[in-house]
Amino acid sequence: MPNVENEAGQGVSHAVGDSKIPQKLQEHVPQSVEEKLPNQIHDTGSSATNQASVSHATGDSKVPKGLQEAVPEKLEKALPDSIHDTSKKVL
């Protein structure tokens, strides 16, 4: 049975090119999340990606630096501070 896309864009991948994201994960996240990833990590052809190329960690992080710089700030802040600390205020 083929995968079916729901109203949130889940159930199928929206990659139009190369992706470093596992296929099953691509199928489970909403389309809006896929489109926010940098095209060099998950190519959706979207030009609206947040490609700030900066880490938002303010403390210790177990996330590789290159990945920190590639993902949107919102995704970094969603990680637990024990994995990727963004809790400290930067003046």
Side-chain angles (χ1 to χ4, degrees), residues 56-88:
H56 296 91
T58 57
D60 292 336
S61 179
K62 295 176 182 164
V63 178
K65 185 76 167 170
L67 188 56
Q68 292 176 39
E69 295 171 349
V71 298
E73 179 179 9
K74 188 174 184 176
L75 182 59
E76 282 186 80
K77 291 186 179 279
L79 291 172
D81 287 333
S82 61
I83 294 174
H84 184 72
D85 188 1
T86 57
S87 65
K88 297 176 184 81

Side-chain angles (χ1 to χ4, degrees), residues 3-55:
N3 290 346
V4 178
E5 182 176 7
N6 68 15
E7 62 279 350
Q10 295 168 297
V12 297
S13 172
H14 295 92
V16 296
D18 291 337
S19 178
K20 294 180 173 72
I21 307 299
Q23 182 68 30
K24 285 293 181 188
L25 184 57
Q26 294 176 39
E27 294 170 2
H28 283 89
V29 299
Q31 181 176 2
S32 60
V33 172
E34 282 186 83
E35 290 177 348
K36 287 181 178 154
L37 292 171
N39 284 329
Q40 60 264 46
I41 297 211
H42 183 69
D43 186 3
T44 59
S46 173
S47 61
T49 58
N50 178 0
Q51 298 183 21
S53 296
V54 64
S55 172

